[in-house]
Amino acid sequence: MEVKTESGPQTLIPQRERVTFLVRLSESFGPVVGLLTAFAVINGYMVLNVIPQDVSGRATTVGCRYRDGQWWFYYVHTGAPIRPANELTATAHQIRNHIEGAAR
């Protein structure tokens, strides 16, 4: 049995949007004392590590993916959604609370 492959138009998700949202989220942490951010690549996708200065081993890795017609931030290690990517302030606040809760 021969399997045929179709070569038609495909929907591509531009990486620049993912990168833009992650950079803007990183900028949201600029005024926050005690948290640093660093970019990394996991499986070919850019992610943002949010790292508390005073607590080792408590970094949170955040990704950005397209789902349900919009970009969402999510926790990379669990896959749990955080918030839509256009809610930068609320996302930064939720991540900070997540890190502070894990440090207790």
Side-chain angles (χ1 to χ4, degrees):
M1 179 175 171
E2 184 179 330
V3 177
K4 292 184 178 183
T5 58
E6 298 286 327
S7 61
Q10 297 178 355
T11 302
L12 298 175
I13 305 300
Q15 294 297 312
R16 71 180 180 274
E17 290 181 2
R18 175 190 325 270
V19 171
T20 299
F21 283 124
L22 288 169
V23 167
R24 291 186 62 213
L25 179 60
S26 174
E27 292 169 348
S28 297
F29 287 102
V32 178
V33 175
L35 290 178
L36 305 171
T37 60
F39 294 99
V41 175
I42 297 178
N43 295 329
Y45 295 102
M46 187 169 137
V47 296
L48 179 68
N49 291 305
V50 183
I51 309 159
Q53 285 179 321
D54 298 334
V55 183
S56 63
R58 298 288 185 199
T60 297
T61 304
V62 177
C64 188
R65 64 182 166 205
Y66 194 80
R67 78 169 209 203
D68 300 328
Q70 66 181 333
W71 286 95
W72 281 77
F73 291 115
Y74 70 100
Y75 295 108
V76 170
H77 297 296
T78 65
I82 301 172
R83 290 187 174 271
N86 60 354
E87 298 179 12
L88 292 166
T89 302
T91 300
H93 183 72
Q94 186 171 333
I95 293 168
R96 188 178 73 229
N97 287 342
H98 174 79
I99 290 171
E100 288 172 356
R104 293 180 191 158

